[in-house]
């Protein structure tokens, strides 16, 4: 062993085979072994974590960092600091709401330049599919984006237009030959346009303006396209449980479809959203408790693959807190630092384990991004990225103590279980008890697929 080698020991280590006491050996930023708890490792620096849980660092594949261009909403330094403080070690940045959006390789270069040297966690980038940029999709893929995001209705920002039906088909025809992944905000624009739209502070009015049928219809259409093209499609931020039966059937039939949901859909309910509390606004919306129960069941049975934040912040004024007008407020939940604790709080109440949460928030997103060989597991050969969680400790959310740029969150004042004691990136502590070190994250590119075996 060398002076750089270390051992992290805990009575509760979450491995791909479940939770057990273990000593995890680390060298050169990589996990080298998962040994019996009392294994002797001469010459290695030992950190005894006691009964705190050592789990793989979380992977969040749905983060709006907004930098450059709208860095007053959020920025690389602040977003990744919040991620690190919350046990997240890898984020993939959405191609909007930055200016320029990540829709060409030149724009990707601008994004990477803005991030370089400022990220606390490993950071990758999605590309965007918008009208007129089909020719840019293959170059973006070759430049290392993890896939392509598109909208089926207005995105909320004019520089990232939605795809019409023909444009969506053209994008799939372009990316499927190189096995590109299309990730989709799935709400049907015609059903949204036909829904009642009433300005004002009543959450019930806002909820009626984003009916579950808009999600269900859009997802059914995407499944048909995935079948037609043999394409890979990922459904972003699933909110409507009504889509689950058709999703489950399509997956059983071999359609290449994956699905995510978000902490706010699993932990917050429409019944508890106060009128005028626009910090709860997101699109699609937080729905009723019965709908939430069905989302949890879909996580349990594997119909939903992963849980990611959809951290979509803005400046406080854009949330229209002065009027409480849900129609006027920016739609997005700020939760990057709180997702692990929020999900664990509800998961433990429902009888789930920390290992379940790690599967949904680490292994699942890592697999989605093609990082399953290096991220998302405490196993030999994986990056030494860890979150250390005190699962029974509690804290009350104080927005002033969060690291994301604007101190507004739907979780304010809530008492959550699960305190993140430390976060490790490549074997080094990057956050301890909410305090951050210098930015140490890397800029990631999509891993190349493993070569096919040679013919025998």
């Amino acid at each position: 062993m060398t002076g750089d080698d270390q051992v992290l020991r805990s009575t509760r280590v979450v491995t791909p085979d479940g939770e057990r006491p273990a000593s995890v050996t680390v060298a050169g930023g990589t996990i080298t072994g998962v040994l019996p708890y009392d294994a002797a490792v001469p010459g290695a620096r030992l950190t005894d974590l006691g009964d705190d849980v050592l789990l793989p660092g979380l992977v969040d594949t749905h983060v709006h960092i907004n930098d450059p261009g709208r860095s007053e909403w959020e920025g690389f330094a602040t977003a990744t600091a919040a991620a690190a403080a919350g046990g997240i070690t890898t984020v993939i940045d959405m191609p909007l709401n930055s200016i320029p959006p990540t829709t060409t390789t030149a724009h990707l270069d601008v994004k990477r330049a803005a991030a370089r040297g400022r990220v606390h966690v490993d950071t990758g980038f999605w590309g965007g599919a918008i009208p007129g940029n089909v020719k840019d999709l293959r170059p973006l893929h070759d430049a290392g984006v993890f896939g392509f995001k598109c909208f089926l209705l207005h995105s909320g920002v004019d520089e990232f237009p939605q795809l019409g039906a023909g444009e969506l088909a053209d994008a799939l025809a372009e990316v499927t030959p190189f096995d590109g992944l299309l990730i989709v905000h799935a709400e049907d624009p015609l059903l949204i346009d036909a829904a009642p739209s009433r300005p004002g502070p009543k959450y019930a009015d806002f909820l009626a303006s984003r009916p579950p049928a808009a999600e269900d219809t859009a997802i059914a259409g995407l499944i048909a396209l995935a079948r037609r093209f043999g394409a890979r499609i990922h459904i972003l931020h699933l909110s409507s449980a009504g889509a689950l039966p058709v999703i489950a059937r399509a997956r059983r039939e071999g359609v290449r479809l994956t699905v995510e949901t978000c902490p706010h859909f699993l932990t917050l309910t429409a019944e508890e959203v106060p009128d005028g509390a626009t910090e709860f606004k997101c699109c699609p919306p937080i729905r009723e408790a019965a709908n939430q129960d069905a989302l949890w069941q879909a996580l349990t049975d594997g119909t939903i693959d992963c849980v990611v934040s959809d951290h979509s912040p803005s400046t406080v004024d854009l949330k229209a807190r002065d009027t409480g007008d849900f129609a006027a407020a920016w739609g997005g939940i700020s939760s990057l630092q709180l997702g692990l604790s929020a999900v664990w709080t509800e998961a433990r109440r429902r009888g789930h384990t920390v290992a379940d949460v790690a599967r949904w928030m680490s292994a699942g997103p890592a697999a989605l991004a093609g990082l399953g060989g290096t991220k998302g597991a405490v196993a030999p050969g994986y990056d030494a990225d860890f979150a250390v969680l005190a699962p029974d400790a509690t804290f009350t959310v104080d927005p002033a103590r969060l690291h994301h740029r604007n101190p507004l969150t739907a979780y304010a004042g809530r008492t959550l279980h699960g305190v993140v004691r430390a976060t490790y990136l490549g074997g080094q502590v990057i956050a301890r008890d909410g305090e951050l070190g210098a930015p140490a994250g890397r800029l990631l590119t999509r891993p190349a697929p493993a070569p096919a075996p040679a013919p025998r």
Side-chain angles (χ1 to χ4, degrees), residues 121-143:
V121 302
D122 287 353
T123 302
F125 305 94
W126 296 107
I130 63 172
N133 86 323
V134 166
K135 68 182 185 308
D136 296 298
L137 300 182
R138 182 60 192 251
L140 279 165
H141 176 83
D142 293 343

Side-chain angles (χ1 to χ4, degrees), residues 16-244:
D17 299 321
E19 182 185 306
R20 62 183 172 90
S23 289
V24 179
T25 58
V26 174
T30 301
I31 299 169
T32 55
V34 181
L35 308 179
Y37 176 79
D38 55 0
V41 187
R45 172 167 48 91
L46 173 65
T47 300
D48 194 328
L49 303 172
D51 296 327
D52 287 347
V53 180
L54 183 70
L55 64 155
L58 271 57
V59 177
D60 193 337
T61 53
H62 196 148
V63 182
H64 293 269
I65 295 179
N66 308 334
D67 194 4
R70 289 191 177 94
S71 56
E72 70 276 12
W73 294 17
E74 190 64 279
F76 282 106
T78 50
T80 59
I88 299 166
T89 52
T90 302
V91 300
I92 312 295
D93 174 54
M94 283 291 166
L96 72 164
N97 305 304
S98 57
I99 302 173
T102 316
T103 52
T104 68
T105 56
H107 292 176
L108 176 63
D109 290 342
V110 172
K111 175 80 73 160
R112 285 176 169 158
R116 193 165 291 114
R118 299 174 59 214
V119 294
H120 291 268
V121 302
D122 287 353
T123 302
F125 305 94
W126 296 107
I130 63 172
N133 86 323
V134 166
K135 68 182 185 308
D136 296 298
L137 300 182
R138 182 60 192 251
L140 279 165
H141 176 83
D142 293 343
V145 300
F146 285 79
F148 307 96
K149 181 175 185 177
C150 70
F151 281 75
L152 306 185
L153 75 174
H154 195 279
S155 70
V157 292
D158 291 339
E159 67 275 2
F160 201 94
Q162 72 268 33
L163 295 180
E167 293 160 333
L168 178 63
D170 289 344
L172 284 171
E174 178 70 13
V175 304
T176 300
F178 57 80
D179 205 31
L181 174 65
L182 194 71
I183 65 174
V184 187
H185 182 125
E187 289 181 284
D188 183 270
L190 296 179
L191 288 177
I192 295 292
D193 288 345
S197 180
R198 302 184 184 93
K202 290 186 177 298
Y203 186 72
D205 287 344
F206 169 64
L207 190 60
S209 75
R210 313 294 292 216
E215 284 188 82
D216 303 345
T217 300
I219 289 168
L222 289 167
I223 289 170
L225 284 170
R227 281 197 176 100
R228 173 183 164 192
F229 287 97
R232 288 199 300 148
I233 293 179
H234 177 72
I235 304 300
L236 297 166
H237 45 49
L238 180 71
S239 150
S240 171
L244 291 168

Side-chain angles (χ1 to χ4, degrees), residues 14 56 299-300 305-306 352-365:
V14 175
L299 270 176
T300 303
D305 300 272
C306 53
H352 295 288
T353 67
V354 179
D356 292 329
V357 174
R359 184 172 70 255
W360 301 328
M361 302 187 77
S362 187

